[in-house]
Amino acid sequence: MPGNQGADVQPADWKTQIYAVLKEAGVRHAVYVPDAGHATAIELFEADDTVTSVVLTTEEEGIGYLAGAWLGGERGVLLMQSSGVGNCLNTLALQTCSRFPLLMVVTMRGEWAEFNAWQNPMGQATEPALRLMGALTWRADRPDEVEPLLRGAATMAFDGDQACAVLLGQRLIGTKEWVKPT
């Protein structure tokens, strides 16, 4: 099971900021495929009675779910890992054609200090693939970048009906290390 090692940051601060910024932006739905990089935000959303948290089978389900939330007048966020972006590419056409607000927060794999070579192709293609599908992207590699980038992306998504993604770089998250289950 992968764990995070070596992050030279204050992980609780930026991880907690994700939840705080999204709550402040009026997010009422948090949809996700479980991921260690999003664990703090997922736990905080799960504990929040004002937010509906949904565990997805696959990431592209989240796009349809969030389109439905928007039709119902509510805001949501899709939390996923970069490998999940590959699963979403065709479904991102839904946002392109209907122009509903879509906010994604993506933890990156397949870059700095990656131990799993299978993560590299999609990790390297994540940002260009999102842009090709019309999503606006921003990348946070330092803790102080997370809050302002996420706040700006939420504004552009929810006030401008854009597809927006904040990419949380592996240098921010820390190196992943394979931990053999006991």
Side-chain angles (χ1 to χ4, degrees), residues 18 49 71 81 86 95 148 150 168:
I18 290 173
D49 291 338
L71 287 170
Q81 192 178 76
Q95 194 285 332
L150 184 56
L168 305 175

Side-chain angles (χ1 to χ4, degrees), residues 117-137:
W118 286 95
Q119 293 285 348
N120 294 341
M122 192 61 227
Q124 294 297 310
T126 294
E127 189 166 15
L130 285 166
R131 288 182 177 198
L132 283 170
M133 292 307 295
L136 305 174
T137 63

Side-chain angles (χ1 to χ4, degrees), residues 4 10-20 36-37 40-41 44 146 173:
N4 294 335
Q10 302 165 350
D13 294 336
W14 66 263
K15 291 180 179 179
T16 302
Q17 285 175 340
I18 290 173
Y19 168 79
T40 299
L44 292 169
V146 174
I173 299 166

